[in-house]
Amino acid sequence: MPRLLATLATLRGDPRLLKLPPYLSALCIAVGVVWLLLLPLNDFTRRTYISENALLPGQVNTYFGGSDKNVFRAYKHEIEALEGKSNIEINDELENIWRGIGLKVGRQNYTYHSAGHTYAGENAYAILHAPRGDATEAIVLVTAWRNVKDEFNRNGVALGLALARYFKRWSLWSKDIIIVAPPDSRAGIQAWVDAYHDTHDSFHVAPLPIKSGLLQGAVAIDFPFREGGFDGVHIVYDGVNGQLPNLDLINTVSYIANGQMGLHSFIQERIEHSDKYNDRLRTMLRGMMNQGLGHAVGAHSSFIPYHVDAVTVQPVGNGWHDEMGFGRLIESTFRSLNNLLEHLHQSFFFYLLMHKDQFVSIGTYLPSAMLIAVNFTIMAILMWVKSGVGEDIPKSTEPPTVADSKAVEGNKDAVSETPSTPAVEREIYLPLGIVIGCHFLGALPLFIFNHTSSHLLAPVFLLFALFNTLLPSLISNLVQVTSTRPLSLQQFYILKCFSLLLLGMFLSSLATLNFSLAFLVGLASAPLSFTRPWPANAPVRYIYTALLNLLSPTAIILAGVAAYAHYGAGAGVGDSSNTNTLMSALEHVLREAAFGWDVWGLYIPVVVWCVWWPAWIVGSVVVWGQPSSSSSSSNKVKSA
């Protein structure tokens, strides 16, 4: 034991230990990225399965068809006649149809304001009370008038009416069925879900006149007009803020489509999927991008934050299946949900899907984001240790003598009480104030981009991006001018320590809620771990500053907008007719971000402007730093 203590004392004073953390930090980043890239391999993925035995997917006979096709065509003719009419006129007609079927009908008004735009409308919905139920549980069928791409959901609304009439004839339902027909798939359904759970803002959203029981699940139909039949279904499952439904619901729809209906099923718009590594990787990355953005990708997305498992189902491909086959898919899915004795809970809520039949769970993919977050903590510890070492006092690297070893044997506590390098007093108040100030400064862009009119969003953002490149040098000069003396090297160490410590803490916590966002922000922030002042090497300082500017939040947002304008225009949320130029694409993206903040309750802007951006500012300030020579006040050796 004395020899071990003597060896530890020797290692503690060895300056080579301080050279190890940067390499360890870089290794964590590299392993985290490689870990993610290995996930699509067969050795890491698992085959999907049904955990909830009560679902019994595909175990019932479906009867929707025959004469119901004539009913569907009649409803479709009535729906087509309503195209172009006002929301009130449409809801009047829907109410007459539902009341004719024998359902209870409710209507709800809502008004949202975001980025200078007003989103107002009226939701209409009907409740089919279960003959064998007690109105304590319900399943929701959503048939929005327009989908997230602002397409007229002609077949979806007509099919919802035909299914409502068909469901009314059966007495096997143990749960109420709610048919909701909002005017759109974004604001309307969000207002309805908020009001159903009594979390709505009464100044903007009216309460629901009638309700049912606890929502056990929801299925949204996205079925615009299409020529010919189809041969597959696209299952959309991403929720607001990156939340996901229980994996059993996705597996149930996929199992019914593949096994009972003879349909193919697809996810993440990967219609042609070979189940090879490349396609699995693309599917996983697309899912991570949707999860990281946190926006609603369908009418179902608004249900998931309330722990209501929901998906949107869309027909894809060309084949012989028609609207009746799609209706039987919905019928069989509702029959499975009707079998539930309790809320879905046995399967996974945190997962990454590589294919409709392959997934990885949180225990497999989480280490990749955690490793990237840990690298910040490692460097923060290093900075704290280096800040406690005297700058002017030479550090002894000689091994202990025999007399020292005997002293250790005589007094084992001497090793812990006598450091090999002299400790100094840490001046933490000014670095701590800078870090706290930068994080509070994040409230400024958060407020600006959520309270600016849409036509000003693009120019304001570009001006802010230009100002952002100058901000670190301005803060650095401001600190040097206002403080009684320039920042010392120790204070720069502490400044970087506090910033990286907060960043690692935030990202490790965020990884359990939104893995994709934590991974992407951590990867973009990786250069912050290796920032340092370069007072005597201006070229290196400018090169590293340029690198940080290329990886700043504003630069990455602009790069993402450019990619969206070039590749994804028309595939995003809302109207895409004005996204053919970079400025209009930037306005569209910022308007959607403001809409998500005001309507969906996105926390993604908080992560960007109050976590990622302040860490970037502090890292840039460290690079711009000109540390002063050590002063006596900052290097006082503590008395023994």
Side-chain angles (χ1 to χ4, degrees):
M1 189 65 180
R3 292 180 179 273
L4 177 62
L5 293 175
T7 303
L8 293 177
T10 304
L11 292 176
R12 184 180 179 185
D14 193 341
R16 290 176 295 181
L17 283 179
L18 298 182
K19 299 180 180 180
L20 181 62
Y23 297 100
L24 184 60
S25 177
L27 180 64
C28 287
I29 297 172
V31 173
V33 174
V34 173
W35 191 298
L36 183 76
L37 297 178
L38 291 177
L39 291 179
L41 297 176
N42 288 328
D43 295 333
F44 295 92
T45 60
R46 302 170 59 183
R47 190 168 182 84
T48 56
Y49 58 93
I50 303 292
S51 299
E52 180 57 71
N53 294 325
L55 283 170
L56 298 174
Q59 301 300 308
V60 298
N61 293 323
T62 55
Y63 301 100
F64 184 72
S67 61
D68 294 307
K69 188 167 187 176
N70 297 326
V71 175
F72 167 77
R73 288 174 176 172
Y75 285 140
K76 182 178 178 181
H77 181 73
E78 294 188 35
I79 294 302
E80 289 175 344
L82 293 174
E83 185 177 7
K85 293 192 176 181
S86 67
N87 187 198
I88 302 300
E89 293 175 315
I90 293 171
N91 288 344
D92 290 339
E93 183 63 25
L94 292 177
E95 181 176 359
N96 292 334
I97 294 174
W98 282 329
R99 291 193 184 278
I101 296 172
L103 307 180
K104 292 184 178 179
V105 181
R107 297 167 74 161
Q108 174 210 25
N109 293 310
Y110 65 89
T111 302
Y112 290 111
H113 301 282
S114 177
H117 292 265
T118 299
Y119 303 87
E122 183 187 59
N123 294 320
Y125 66 101
I127 299 178
L128 189 162
H129 287 292
R132 299 185 178 184
D134 54 359
T136 57
E137 296 176 333
I139 313 170
V140 182
L141 177 64
V142 183
T143 57
W145 194 256
R146 291 191 174 275
N147 62 15
V148 291
K149 296 181 181 179
D150 204 32
E151 298 172 336
F152 180 30
N153 193 19
R154 178 184 289 103
N155 291 346
V157 177
L159 188 59
L161 295 175
L163 284 170
R165 184 177 182 274
Y166 172 78
F167 290 159
K168 180 64 176 178
R169 302 204 309 259
W170 289 87
S171 61
L172 51 84
W173 304 109
S174 61
K175 296 176 175 57
D176 293 351
I177 297 177
I178 305 175
I179 301 95
V180 186
D184 62 14
S185 297
R186 305 167 66 225
I189 192 63
Q190 184 67 49
W192 188 90
V193 175
D194 288 344
Y196 195 93
H197 294 89
D198 295 322
T199 60
H200 61 288
D201 183 356
S202 58
F203 291 101
H204 301 97
V205 179
L208 299 181
I210 55 174
K211 291 184 181 181
S212 181
L214 182 67
L215 301 183
Q216 294 294 307
V219 177
I221 300 177
D222 185 357
F223 197 167
F225 176 76
R226 55 182 288 124
E227 294 288 346
F230 59 92
D231 64 351
V233 291
H234 180 224
I235 304 171
V236 187
Y237 56 88
D238 299 284
V240 173
N241 283 322
Q243 293 179 268
L244 302 173
N246 190 277
L247 188 57
D248 268 348
L249 179 59
I250 302 174
N251 294 338
T252 296
V253 178
S254 180
Y255 185 88
I256 292 172
N258 300 153
Q260 186 179 12
M261 300 300 161
L263 293 165
H264 303 291
S265 58
F266 308 96
I267 58 173
Q268 298 298 341
E269 300 184 13
R270 299 293 302 169
I271 307 303
E272 296 180 359
H273 201 299
S274 63
D275 200 20
K276 303 298 181 180
Y277 176 83
N278 289 339
D279 283 335
R280 287 186 180 185
L281 181 62
R282 291 190 184 98
T283 302
M284 180 189 72
L285 294 179
R286 190 178 186 90
M288 288 180 60
M289 189 60 63
N290 283 330
Q291 185 182 43
L293 293 175
H295 63 294
V297 295
H300 71 283
S301 299
S302 299
F303 288 87
I304 299 178
Y306 290 97
H307 304 289
V308 179
D309 304 303
V311 294
T312 292
V313 186
Q314 305 166 333
V316 294
N318 296 307
W320 58 271
H321 292 277
D322 60 0
E323 297 86 353
M324 296 300 101
F326 197 85
R328 286 191 292 272
L329 171 65
I330 303 299
E331 176 192 358
S332 187
T333 303
F334 269 57
R335 292 286 296 275
S336 293
L337 293 174
N338 188 60
N339 293 334
L340 286 176
L341 301 177
E342 54 186 337
H343 201 79
L344 288 173
H345 66 282
Q346 294 193 25
S347 191
F348 297 92
F349 288 95
F350 301 95
Y351 51 85
L352 291 177
L353 282 171
M354 313 287 169
H355 182 257
K356 63 182 180 64
D357 296 326
Q358 300 289 334
F359 79 103
V360 290
S361 62
I362 185 172
T364 306
Y365 67 72
L366 188 62
S368 59
M370 286 299 184
L371 284 170
I372 293 180
V374 163
N375 103 84
F376 299 115
T377 305
I378 292 173
M379 294 303 294
I381 295 174
L382 173 64
M383 292 299 104
W384 182 257
V385 172
K386 293 181 71 173
S387 68
V389 177
E391 301 172 10
D392 292 335
I393 301 175
K395 306 172 182 62
S396 174
T397 59
E398 299 179 357
T401 62
V402 176
D404 296 331
S405 301
K406 291 181 178 180
V408 171
E409 295 179 10
N411 185 6
K412 296 179 180 179
D413 294 335
V415 174
S416 60
E417 293 177 358
T418 307
S420 58
T421 55
V424 299
E425 295 180 1
R426 293 182 175 91
E427 297 185 354
I428 66 172
Y429 296 109
L430 181 56
L432 182 62
I434 294 174
V435 172
I436 294 176
C438 288
H439 279 271
F440 276 105
L441 189 63
L444 182 62
L446 184 66
F447 178 85
I448 291 174
F449 296 123
N450 290 318
H451 294 82
T452 302
S453 297
S454 60
H455 68 282
L456 295 176
L457 280 173
V460 168
F461 185 86
L462 292 178
L463 288 175
F464 179 80
L466 179 61
F467 172 73
N468 189 58
T469 60
L470 305 176
L471 183 60
S473 62
L474 293 177
I475 293 178
S476 180
N477 293 330
L478 181 64
V479 172
Q480 299 290 349
V481 170
T482 57
S483 59
T484 56
R485 56 185 175 79
L487 290 177
S488 64
L489 184 60
Q490 180 203 67
Q491 289 175 314
F492 278 108
Y493 287 154
I494 297 175
L495 181 65
K496 180 179 175 181
C497 170
F498 287 157
S499 179
L500 293 183
L501 191 64
L502 285 176
L503 182 60
M505 179 184 67
F506 284 135
L507 293 183
S508 59
S509 301
L510 179 64
T512 60
L513 300 176
N514 192 327
F515 161 80
S516 304
L517 181 62
F519 182 88
L520 296 173
V521 172
L523 191 60
S525 304
L528 299 179
S529 296
F530 309 102
T531 56
R532 50 161 289 188
W534 277 283
N537 198 335
V540 175
R541 181 168 69 248
Y542 291 128
I543 291 174
Y544 210 91
T545 299
L547 174 63
L548 291 182
N549 282 324
L550 288 176
L551 294 176
S552 67
T554 53
I556 290 181
I557 290 173
L558 287 174
V561 168
Y564 168 76
H566 188 267
Y567 297 105
V573 178
D575 183 15
S576 61
S577 59
N578 295 323
T579 56
N580 49 4
T581 65
L582 182 60
M583 288 295 290
S584 58
L586 179 59
E587 178 185 334
H588 172 77
V589 170
L590 294 175
R591 186 175 70 245
E592 291 301 315
F595 180 87
W597 172 266
D598 294 323
V599 179
W600 295 328
L602 290 186
Y603 61 68
I604 312 301
V606 177
V607 175
V608 172
W609 299 119
C610 297
V611 177
W612 180 14
W613 186 63
W616 178 86
I617 291 178
V618 174
S620 299
V621 169
V622 170
V623 173
W624 277 100
Q626 301 286 334
S628 63
S629 59
S630 54
S631 58
S632 58
S633 62
S634 63
N635 290 311
K636 291 180 180 178
V637 180
K638 294 180 179 179
S639 57

